[in-house]
Amino acid sequence: ADIGYTGGPVSLFCEGTAQNENTGGGKALLGVYKNDDNRMAIWTRRNNNRIGFVEGGGVAGNLNESSSYDGKTALSLTTNSFSGSINGRPVITDTSQPLPDFEGATIYVGNLDSGTAYQANGHIKRVAFYPEALTDTELQSLTS
């Protein structure tokens, strides 16, 4: 169904876990995908502690936490700012990330896109999509 999203700032939340993670690409718990140059995901990759991935206009960026976790993750994306928190931990931010074009994008639960490479093969308890950039305080509160 059309949820009324027409592009611009966006935030994602997911509570879940992935299993049998591969070492090459990790697993996406929740993804927004328009094409390979415009996509975003709540990620789990224990060997580099990635919690979030985004690609805008072909420029990719990651948010990496100091240690890996499963649980509640929230990401916020606006012009030149990509932020995230996991399990109430302090927010981490990348200020060099361009905003992707998500108009007409598809949301995937348990995957980044329609392929099989990034399937979570785990448990997704709850997801949320916000057509706005959440504040750092909101990201931390949502994941606590």
Side-chain angles (χ1 to χ4, degrees):
D2 185 352
I3 60 172
Y5 179 68
T6 58
V10 64
S11 298
L12 301 176
F13 169 83
C14 184
E15 182 177 359
T17 59
Q19 297 178 359
N20 301 323
E21 177 185 321
N22 66 33
T23 57
K27 300 295 183 178
L29 297 175
L30 181 65
V32 178
Y33 182 87
K34 180 175 182 175
N35 54 43
D36 285 348
D37 290 334
N38 295 284
R39 54 193 179 158
M40 176 181 180
I42 290 179
W43 211 257
T44 178
R45 185 173 176 190
R46 287 162 186 82
N47 63 345
N48 75 355
N49 305 321
R50 181 186 301 165
I51 66 166
F53 165 80
V54 66
E55 189 159 1
V59 177
N62 296 299
L63 293 177
N64 298 320
E65 181 53 85
S66 60
S67 56
S68 61
Y69 303 92
D70 283 321
K72 300 176 185 178
T73 305
L75 303 177
S76 178
L77 183 62
T78 190
T79 304
N80 296 324
S81 184
F82 180 38
S83 302
S85 177
I86 185 165
N87 296 332
R89 294 182 54 83
V91 172
I92 49 179
T93 302
D94 175 355
T95 57
S96 62
Q97 183 60 49
L99 187 63
D101 173 12
F102 284 144
E103 189 168 354
T106 301
I107 295 176
Y108 292 90
V109 177
N111 206 353
L112 173 62
D113 55 31
S114 60
T116 60
Y118 305 112
Q119 289 177 345
N121 299 324
H123 303 281
I124 306 295
K125 183 176 181 180
R126 185 171 53 136
V127 299
F129 174 89
Y130 301 89
E132 63 182 308
L134 297 178
T135 66
D136 289 357
T137 301
E138 290 169 326
L139 292 173
Q140 253 187 310
S141 177
L142 193 57
T143 63
S144 292

